[in-house]
Every structure is written in structure tokens, then in C-alpha cells.
Amino acid sequence: MAIRFEDIKEFIGSRVLWDDRADLFTPEAAKAIRAKVEERTVLVFPEVNLSDAEQLAITNAMGEKVRLTARNNVQSNDQDVYQVTLDEKINPQPEYVLGTFFWHMDGITVDMPPPFATLLSCRIAPDKGGETEFASTYAAYEGLPEEEKEALEGLKAVHSVRASLSPIADAIPEKHREKVLGIGLIKEHPLVWTHESGRKSMVIGTTADHIVGMEVPAGRAMLIRLQEWAAQPAFSLRHKWTKGDFVIWDNTGAMHRAIPYDKSTGRMMHRTSIAGTEAVAA
């Protein structure tokens, strides 16, 4: 292989290394990168400095691209690239970005299979804060005691944008609070996702509001405990961004969140997504 992978932690994360940058854009590389994402959950490409066209080339080579949110940018980048920023001149509704300060999975409240992977390029890195954390819900599930795995089987959680934004609801301007909180669908998903590969991961994060058939306090306490379990150091990884870094992660088997940062830092990420090929299934 013209590209190489170096593990970052035991259960999560690999660094991608190359001798010739052009080697990242071959069909062989796309196949190897996708397989490694499935195996290691998070891939980091240090300071590769992709253009939007190059990021889309890697996205398209790995699978069908999907747009999770409407184009928000007023700059001249590609319409399939979403700019993740708190700059209100570019993002008129930054509440969604504020919501990313809390553990979540992308595309859980839309009417299609959750995206397989999210791809993020760093264009402006803040001096303080703004790191992204990842937690493998594959590794977290596999690490549970057998009796806890059995207790989770058959349980379903109700997911919504309202639940995911509840920690910041009072920070959303009242004039459009209900519109923002009401976006997306209310979806029921199995707590344990049995993938077509046979592997199992957990579908958790702040979109999960309560567990079907369980008293709300007990169900929410369980959801928080599972988040905490998945976020422990053994199963999680924090990436400190440098301008030009590029990260791909398996959205079907990982939660992620941004460490809070001040909007004056100008933190800017360019995001693309790869469509999922399977619905959440028990």
C-alpha cells in the first residue's frame, strides 16, 4: 500500500501516513480508507490541507455523498460542503453548532439511514478549545459485561432534535426557538444496533430522549450512564485541530462532540458526509 496506518489508541483511532499525497486519491486508497474507518472508527490525516474539490473526491470515492443540512455558506465553496461555524454571517442559525458541544451521532432524526461516515477538514483552528472528541459505541458495547448486554437487548430509545438541543434551549432566541427545536423527526431506534456485518454498536447521544416502556427518570439515567461508559478514556479519543487536518469517522458506531470555544476564534470546519447503506436494526 502507498498509504499506511498507525494506531493512536488500543480501541479507537488511526493516523494516516503517506509518502506521495497523490496516493490518497487512488481507488485502492479509497477502499483501504473505508475498511480502516470501519475497523478503527476514526482516521486522522495530519495537515493534509485538502481543497473542497479534493475532499469531495475522497468522499465520492468512498461512497455516495449525502447532504444532511441545507447549504449555509455565503462563500464560494462547493454547495455539497457544509461550513461548520458560529459566524452568523455564514451560519444564520448557529444553535445547531452549539448543540455539537454535546455527545451526538449525525442523521439520527432524519428519514433515511444514518450516514456511514462524516468527513471534516479544519480551515481555521482556534487557539483555545474547539477540539473534537470521539467515542466508539462499538468498543463501548463490546466492553460491557454480558449481563448488561442482555439487559439492553430489545430496548428502544426515542430520538429528537428537541432532546439534543435541550441543554441550550434557553440560549436560542425566543422568536425562532420552537422552529429550531421542532426540526427533524421523532424517531425510535433500537438501543443496540446489529449491523449487517454482525457487529453491534449502541445508538446513543443527546438526541436520545427516553427509553420506550421505561419510567422517564430511569430511562434517562440509563442513557446518561451509557454515554459516560462510552466516553471513558479507553473507548474515546480527543483530537486537537491544526489547520489542514482532515478526519473521517464511522458515524454509525461513534458519538462525537466539540469542546466549547468562543465564536471570536473563527473556528471553521468543512464537512461532507457519506450516505449510510443500512437502517438501524435490532
Side-chain angles (χ1 to χ4, degrees):
M1 274 297 297
I3 60 173
R4 304 178 303 282
F5 303 100
E6 177 183 276
D7 289 353
I8 299 172
K9 297 183 76 173
E10 182 179 0
F11 296 114
I12 183 172
S14 290
R15 194 173 292 107
V16 184
L17 307 173
W18 59 91
D19 296 319
D20 186 338
R21 193 172 178 278
D23 292 335
L24 296 172
F25 303 97
T26 65
E28 294 78 15
K31 183 177 180 180
I33 289 167
R34 179 164 181 136
K36 188 60 70 170
V37 169
E38 292 176 354
E39 176 191 347
R40 299 290 300 161
T41 309
V42 181
L43 296 187
V44 177
F45 299 69
E47 298 183 75
V48 66
N49 289 295
L50 298 178
S51 66
D52 284 344
E54 289 174 328
Q55 181 167 339
L56 282 165
I58 291 175
T59 305
N60 290 329
M62 289 179 62
E64 180 185 355
K65 67 176 178 288
V66 62
R67 202 183 306 172
L68 294 180
T69 46
R71 181 183 182 186
N72 67 338
N73 42 293
V74 296
Q75 299 176 0
S76 59
N77 65 307
D78 191 285
Q79 64 177 358
D80 288 318
V81 178
Y82 182 83
Q83 293 176 295
V84 182
T85 177
L86 290 175
D87 186 342
E88 295 179 11
K89 296 189 297 294
I90 297 172
N91 184 2
Q93 291 190 325
E95 296 84 12
Y96 298 118
V97 177
L98 292 173
T100 67
F101 291 173
F102 306 91
W103 287 117
H104 66 286
M105 300 169 72
D106 292 336
I108 296 300
T109 61
V110 296
D111 201 16
M112 62 180 179
F116 159 64
T118 306
L119 305 86
L120 207 61
S121 287
C122 179
R123 301 308 176 91
I124 300 175
D127 293 330
K128 183 179 181 181
E131 301 94 337
T132 301
E133 292 185 314
F134 306 93
S136 171
T137 65
Y138 277 118
Y141 175 80
E142 290 161 5
L144 285 170
E146 288 303 317
E147 62 269 22
E148 290 196 39
K149 291 180 182 178
E150 292 173 9
L152 297 180
E153 291 295 331
L155 294 181
K156 292 186 175 183
V158 176
H159 295 257
S160 69
V161 169
R162 182 177 294 271
S164 70
L165 294 181
S166 62
I168 63 156
D170 55 358
I172 302 172
E174 191 172 353
K175 62 183 179 181
H176 63 263
R177 184 177 299 158
E178 282 305 310
K179 180 181 179 182
V180 171
L181 295 176
I183 199 168
L185 303 174
I186 297 173
K187 301 282 287 185
E188 281 188 16
H189 292 301
L191 206 52
V192 177
W193 182 350
T194 302
H195 297 257
E196 292 174 359
S197 65
R199 292 182 71 194
K200 295 183 177 184
S201 64
M202 293 185 290
V203 183
I204 51 178
T206 52
T207 56
D209 181 66
H210 61 275
I211 295 176
V212 178
M214 190 176 290
E215 293 284 344
V216 170
R220 286 178 175 163
M222 173 182 282
L223 291 168
I224 289 171
R225 286 198 308 275
L226 292 173
Q227 274 192 52
E228 292 171 344
W229 172 260
Q232 65 178 285
F235 308 137
S236 64
L237 171 70
R238 177 184 289 196
H239 180 66
K240 173 68 173 175
W241 292 100
T242 298
K243 182 180 177 181
D245 286 353
F246 176 52
V247 173
I248 306 175
W249 68 92
D250 181 350
N251 178 68
T252 69
M255 302 185 295
H256 63 284
R257 68 179 178 185
I259 301 300
Y261 56 94
D262 193 279
K263 65 180 180 181
S264 66
T265 64
R267 183 184 189 268
M268 171 70 75
M269 302 287 167
H270 283 198
R271 187 188 77 193
T272 52
S273 300
I274 297 172
T277 59
E278 55 179 299
V280 181

